[in-house]
C-alpha cells in the first residue's frame, strides 16, 4: 500500500435511521433549507437520517449559485475566524486533546502525511513525498522532502523528524500527548538518508491515520527540547503554510503566509493563497453573532438558532456548512472500585439508563440533536441496530428497568457517586441519568468539578462513575476502540478491561484493510463490549458540526472530522467581495 491510495471504507458515513430523532429534527430543520448547527465543543445536527452523507456538504441560504470573479483573484487578503476560545490548555497543541489546539495552531505545522482537505477520507503527502507499507502492515517507510525550512529560517533535519516522533513514542516524564497514543505501539524508528521507517509492535493498517493526524506534527528539536517545551507563542515554530506573527492569550492569534512553504498551487506559485489568517476568541454567542453581522469576522461555528436567524437575515450572502463528527459520549464505570468491579452492577446501571429519553431531551432545548450510539461510536457500520438493543429500545424499557431494579436490590446497592464535568451540557444529561437511577431505587450523587479536576480524577481512577466522552479525529470505529476501550487508550479511565477474545479480534482487525471482513470483526467486538464487559453506559453520539461563513470565503470544505483536521487553510481563499482584500 503506497502513497495516496489509502482511503476509508465505503460505509464510512453511515447514519442511523432513527425515527425518533427524525421526528425531533423535523420542526427544527424547516429553516430556509439550512443544515443544522452546534457550538465548537459540543456536537450539532445530523443529515436526514435515511441518507448517507457525502464527504462534503455545503448549502447556501437560500441555495444560490455564486460565480467566481472573472480573474483568478485567489491570492491575498486576510481571513478572520471567530472561535469560542484560543489555546485553553497551553501553547503546545500536541498536548491539547480538544479542538482548541488544531483550530488555532494547526496552520502553523505539518506532519509527514495529512488528510486531503477537500474529501477528508484520502491520506496524502505532506512533509513526506512518498510512503510504503510492507505486506504485513507492521512497517512503513516514508521519504521526507529535503530543503524544508522552519519559520525561523532554520533547516528541518531528519533529527527534528525523529525527535518529534520519538517524543510521541516515549513522552517525557509528566507529559501526555492524548491524541497520539498510537505511536506508543511503535517498536523502533530508523533513518537512512531522507527515509524514515516506523517498525510497529504488531500489524496496524490504521497507523497511517496516526501519521496523518493534525496532531502528528514535526517541531524543531532546538525549540521543543528547551525547558518548559512549547510554552509560549514565540516557541510556536513549524513548517506550516502560516507562521505565527502575533498572539495574545485568550484574545487572538495572527499568522502570516509562510514565504518558504513547499507545496505548489495550481497557478504555479506556492500555497497558501491568503496573506494573513487570524483567529479571535469570542466566548459569548451573542457577541460572536454580532461580530459576524458587522463583518468583523468572516467565519465561525454557530448554534442552530444563529443559523436560523442569520439565514433569514443575510440570505444568499452566507453559507451554512455541515461536517460529520465522530465520537461517543457515555458514563464510564470504574471497574477497579466497588460497586462497579462487579459485572452485574455494571449490567444493572446500563439497563437503568434511558438513552432515547436523554437524546430526545437534549435535542430541543440545547438545539443540538444527538443519536443513541454503539460502543464503537457513530462510525460503527451497523449503527442502525442500536435501536434494537433491549437497553435502548423504548418498547423494552419497562423490562430493562425492572431487571436493573432487581439486580441492584440483590446486590444491596442503594447509592452511587458520579463525577461530572462542570458544563451545562454534561450536567444536564447527568441529572437525567440521576433521575433514571432513582426510578430503580438508587440515589446517584453528582460531584460537579471543573474539567481539569474531573479529568484528573478519571485518570487517577478516583471515581465510581464518570460522565465523559469525546470526538475522534477520524471517522473510524477502530479509533474509538483504541481511545476508549484499550487499557493504554487516552480515554480508558480504569473501565473494565476487554476480554482476550476482544483483544485477539482487535489485533486481527488492525491487520485487515477496511471492508466486509473487518466490519464483521467490529460487530463481534461491539457484542462483546455490550454483553460480556459493559465498560460504560453509552448515551449518545454527535452527529455533525456546522460552520457559518460569507460566500466570499472559497474552498472551505465540510470534510469528515473537519472540526479537528481541516485547519491548515492551505487552499482557502477569499474573493474580491471580502472587506479585507
Amino acid at each position: 500500500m503506497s502513497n495516496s491510495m489509502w482511503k476509508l471504507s465505503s460505509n464510512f458515513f453511515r447514519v442511523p435511521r432513527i425515527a425518533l430523532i427524525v421526528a425531533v429534527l423535523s420542526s427544527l430543520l424547516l429553516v430556509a433549507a439550512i443544515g443544522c448547527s452546534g457550538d465548537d465543543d459540543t456536537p450539532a445536527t445530523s443529515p436526514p437520517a435515511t441518507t448517507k452523507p457525502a464527504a462534503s456538504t455545503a448549502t447556501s441560504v437560500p441555495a444560490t449559485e455564486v460565480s467566481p470573479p472573472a480573474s483568478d483573484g485567489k491570492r491575498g487578503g486576510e481571513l478572520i475566524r471567530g472561535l469560542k476560545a484560543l489555546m485553553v490548555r497551553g501553547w503546545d497543541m500536541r498536548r491539547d486533546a480538544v479542538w482548541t489546539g488544531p483550530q488555532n495552531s494547526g496552520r502553523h505545522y505539518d506532519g509527514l502525511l495529512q488528510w486531503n482537505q477537500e474529501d477528508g477520507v484520502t491520506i496524502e503527502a505532506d512533509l513526506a513525498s512518498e510512503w510504503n507499507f510492507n505486506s504485513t502492515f507492521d512497517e512503513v517507510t516514508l521519504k521526507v522532502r529535503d530543503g524544508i525550512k522552519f519559520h525561523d529560517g532554520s533547516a528541518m533535519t531528519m533529527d527534528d523528524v525523529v525527535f518529534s516522533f520519538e517524543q510521541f513514542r516515549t513522552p517525557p516524564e509528566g507529559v501526555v500527548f492524548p491524541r497520539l497514543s498510537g505511536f506508543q505501539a511503535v517498536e523502533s524508528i530508523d533513518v537512512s538518508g531522507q527515509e524514515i521507517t516506523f517498525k510497529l509492535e504488531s500489524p496496524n493498517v490504521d497507523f497511517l491515520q496516526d501519521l496523518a493526524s493534525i496532531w502528528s506534527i514535526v517541531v524543531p528539536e532546538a525549540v521543543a527540547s528547551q525547558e518548559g517545551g512549547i510554552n509560549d507563542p514565540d516557541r510556536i515554530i513549524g513548517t506550516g503554510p502560516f507562521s505565527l506573527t502575533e498572539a495574545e492569550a485568550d484574545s487572538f492569534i495572527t499568522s502570516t503566509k509562510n514565504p518558504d512553504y513547499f507545496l505548489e498551487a495550481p497557478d504555479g506559485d506556492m500555497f497558501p493563497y491568503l496573506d494573513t489568517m487570524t483567529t479571535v476568541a469570542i466566548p459569548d454567542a451573542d457577541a460572536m453573532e454580532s461580530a459576524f453581522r458587522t463583518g468583523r469576522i468572516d467565519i465561525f461555528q454557530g448554534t442552530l438558532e444563529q443559523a436560523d436567524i442569520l439565514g433569514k437575515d443575510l440570505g444568499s450572502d452566507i453559507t451554512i456548512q455541515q461536517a460529520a463528527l465522530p465520537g461517543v459520549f457515555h458514563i464510564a464505570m470504574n471497574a477497579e472500585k466497588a460497586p462497579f468491579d462487579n459485572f452485574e452492577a455494571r449490567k444493572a446501571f446500563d439497563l437503568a439508563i434511558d438513552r432515547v429519553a436523554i437524546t430526545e431531551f437534549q435535542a430541543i432545548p440545547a438545539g443540538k440533536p444527538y443519536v443513541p450510539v454503539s460502543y464503537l461510536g457513530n462510525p460503527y457500520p451497523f449503527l442502525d441496530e442500536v435501536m434494537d438493543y433491549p437497553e435502548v429500545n423504548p418498547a423494552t424499557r419497562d423490562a430493562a428497568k425492572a431487571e436493573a431494579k432487581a439486580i441492584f436490590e440483590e446486590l444491596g446497592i442503594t447509592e452511587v457517586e458520579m463525577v461530572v464535568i462542570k458544563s451545562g451540557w454534561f450536567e444536564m444529561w447527568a441529572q437525567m441519568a440521576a433521575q433514571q437511577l432513582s426510578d430503580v431505587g438508587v440515589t446517584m450523587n453528582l460531584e460537579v468539578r471543573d474539567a481539569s479536576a474531573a479529568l484528573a480524577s478519571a485518570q487517577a481512577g478516583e471515581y465510581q462513575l464518570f460522565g465523559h466522552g469525546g470526538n475522534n479525529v477520524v471517522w473510524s470505529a477502530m479509533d474509538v476502540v483504541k481511545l476508549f476501550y484499550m487499557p493504554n487508550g487516552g480515554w480508558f479511565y480504569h473501565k473494565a478491561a476487554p476480554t482476550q477474545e476482544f483483544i485477539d479480534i482487535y489485533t486481527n482487525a488492525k491487520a485487515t484493510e477496511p471492508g466486509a471482513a473487518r466490519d464483521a470483526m467490529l460487530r463481534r467486538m461491539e457484542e462483546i463490549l455490550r454483553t460480556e464487559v459493559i465498560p460504560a453506559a453509552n448515551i449518545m453520539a454527535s452527529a455533525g458540526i456546522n460552520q457559518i461563513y460569507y460566500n466570499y470565503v472559497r474552498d472551505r470544505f465540510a470534510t469528515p472530522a473537519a472540526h479537528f483536521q481541516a485547519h491548515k487553510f492551505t487552499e482557502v481563499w477569499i474573493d474580491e467581495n471580502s472587506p479585507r482584500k
Side-chain angles (χ1 to χ4, degrees):
M1 189 194 307
S2 63
N3 294 356
S4 60
M5 299 305 293
W6 200 99
K7 284 195 176 186
L8 294 157
S9 63
S10 60
N11 61 6
F12 200 63
F13 304 106
R14 193 176 301 277
V15 173
R17 295 185 292 275
I18 300 177
L20 170 67
I21 300 303
V22 176
V24 172
L25 290 178
S26 61
S27 63
L28 300 175
L29 295 183
L30 298 177
V31 182
I34 61 175
C36 312
S37 72
D39 59 24
D40 273 288
D41 58 358
T42 54
T45 64
S46 65
T50 56
T51 66
K52 181 184 294 185
S56 176
T57 58
T59 306
S60 295
V61 189
T64 303
E65 182 67 26
V66 182
S67 300
S71 61
D72 182 270
K74 288 187 176 183
R75 294 197 171 272
E78 178 182 14
L79 182 71
I80 300 180
R81 184 184 191 187
L83 295 175
K84 286 182 63 179
L86 294 188
M87 308 285 284
V88 297
R89 297 180 185 175
W91 294 104
D92 189 345
M93 66 168 281
R94 303 172 303 168
R95 301 177 65 175
D96 194 345
V98 297
W99 55 270
T100 54
Q103 290 195 14
N104 283 289
S105 207
R107 61 187 182 269
H108 303 130
Y109 296 104
D110 294 303
L112 293 177
L113 302 177
Q114 64 179 335
W115 291 99
N116 179 280
Q117 298 291 289
E118 183 171 348
D119 68 26
V121 298
T122 304
I123 289 176
E124 61 183 19
D126 201 0
L127 289 173
S129 58
E130 303 174 18
W131 67 93
N132 273 291
F133 235 141
N134 66 357
S135 60
T136 52
F137 301 115
D138 59 4
E139 184 175 302
V140 60
T141 298
L142 304 97
K143 184 175 182 180
V144 180
R145 302 175 195 269
D146 199 4
I148 304 295
K149 291 183 179 180
F150 286 113
H151 297 151
D152 62 1
S154 64
M156 184 195 80
T157 69
M158 294 302 291
D159 287 342
D160 296 307
V161 178
V162 172
F163 167 82
S164 299
F165 288 96
E166 284 287 3
Q167 277 209 319
F168 304 155
R169 190 171 78 92
T170 54
E173 185 176 355
V175 174
V176 176
F177 300 119
R179 295 284 187 175
L180 298 165
S181 61
F183 288 96
Q184 294 176 29
V186 173
E187 187 175 275
S188 65
I189 300 175
D190 301 314
V191 169
S192 176
Q194 289 299 118
E195 291 189 342
I196 183 169
T197 298
F198 295 86
K199 294 181 179 179
L200 311 181
E201 294 176 352
S202 60
N204 184 8
V205 173
D206 299 317
F207 184 66
L208 291 181
Q209 296 182 20
D210 294 314
L211 288 171
S213 169
I214 197 167
W215 275 273
S216 302
I217 57 175
V218 173
V219 296
E221 180 178 5
V223 173
S225 62
Q226 295 180 56
E227 183 177 355
I230 303 172
N231 61 359
D232 187 86
D234 291 340
R235 296 186 182 183
I236 296 179
I237 298 173
T239 61
F242 294 92
S243 60
L244 189 148
T245 52
E246 189 177 3
E248 184 177 315
D250 303 320
S251 182
F252 70 92
I253 297 175
T254 295
S255 316
T256 54
K257 177 178 180 176
N258 176 7
D260 296 318
Y261 199 55
F262 56 91
L263 290 180
E264 184 176 324
D267 64 1
D269 201 350
M270 310 308 284
F271 282 120
Y273 290 125
L274 295 168
D275 286 337
T276 308
M277 172 83 191
T278 297
T279 47
V280 294
I282 309 177
D284 182 75
D286 291 337
M288 183 81 80
E289 181 181 330
S290 176
F292 185 73
R293 285 179 177 276
T294 55
R296 287 176 290 156
I297 61 174
D298 307 300
I299 181 172
F300 77 106
Q301 288 177 193
T303 66
L304 181 64
E305 182 181 8
Q306 287 172 325
D308 180 5
I309 295 172
L310 291 170
K312 290 175 180 177
D313 292 352
L314 300 180
S316 59
D317 290 338
I318 67 171
T319 292
I320 312 293
Q321 187 186 67
Q322 183 185 65
L325 186 61
V328 59
F329 292 84
H330 62 204
I331 300 176
M333 292 178 266
N334 188 342
E336 297 174 6
K337 282 191 173 185
F340 298 109
D341 55 348
N342 184 314
F343 172 82
E344 290 298 315
R346 299 197 300 273
K347 179 180 179 181
F349 184 81
D350 189 49
L351 289 168
I353 299 300
D354 186 346
R355 291 92 163 150
V356 172
I358 294 176
T359 53
E360 182 180 15
F361 183 77
Q362 287 285 90
I364 297 175
K368 312 180 196 74
Y370 300 93
V371 294
V373 71
S374 73
Y375 278 97
L376 275 59
N378 49 351
Y380 180 54
F382 306 104
L383 197 59
D384 289 350
E385 299 174 359
V386 170
M387 286 299 290
D388 294 327
Y389 294 173
E391 65 272 24
V392 177
N393 193 331
T396 54
R397 279 305 306 153
D398 288 343
K401 286 174 62 177
E403 185 177 0
K405 183 178 177 66
I407 295 173
F408 279 134
E409 289 177 350
E410 181 180 351
L411 297 176
I413 298 173
T414 60
E415 189 172 357
V416 295
E417 295 181 350
M418 176 175 167
V419 173
V420 183
I421 294 173
K422 186 175 179 58
S423 157
W425 184 75
F426 278 108
E427 292 177 66
M428 186 184 299
W429 56 266
Q431 290 165 0
M432 288 196 69
Q435 179 58 53
Q436 292 168 2
L437 262 288
S438 71
D439 292 343
V440 295
V442 177
T443 299
M444 185 162 80
N445 301 311
L446 303 182
E447 298 183 17
V448 180
R449 304 174 185 174
D450 63 54
S452 296
L455 290 170
S457 296
Q459 290 167 349
E462 297 173 352
Y463 75 96
Q464 288 183 345
L465 299 164
F466 177 48
H468 82 107
N471 297 307
N472 293 64
V473 299
V474 294
W475 193 280
S476 164
M478 290 290 288
D479 194 59
V480 173
V481 171
K482 177 180 70 177
L483 282 172
F484 285 92
Y485 307 115
M486 299 305 290
N488 64 344
W491 294 328
F492 179 67
Y493 295 151
H494 305 269
K495 295 192 283 279
T499 66
Q500 187 58 51
E501 181 189 359
F502 183 95
I503 293 172
D504 291 343
I505 295 173
Y506 176 68
T507 300
N508 289 334
K510 285 167 56 177
T512 305
E513 294 186 70
R518 179 186 259 201
D519 287 349
M521 297 177 190
L522 294 173
R523 173 177 262 156
R524 177 55 185 155
M525 291 162 68
E526 167 79 5
E527 182 181 17
I528 291 172
L529 287 174
R530 63 174 290 266
T531 63
E532 301 178 27
V533 182
I534 313 183
N538 293 315
I539 305 296
M540 66 189 83
S542 53
I545 204 75
N546 296 278
Q547 298 177 104
I548 303 173
Y549 58 87
Y550 285 99
N551 286 338
Y552 56 73
V553 178
R554 302 303 190 93
D555 289 350
R556 176 62 177 162
F557 300 103
T559 61
H563 187 58
F564 295 106
Q565 297 285 11
H567 303 295
K568 295 179 75 169
F569 283 80
T570 309
E571 301 176 27
V572 173
W573 57 284
I574 52 178
D575 68 30
E576 58 195 10
N577 295 306
S578 167
R580 279 171 282 279
K581 188 164 185 176

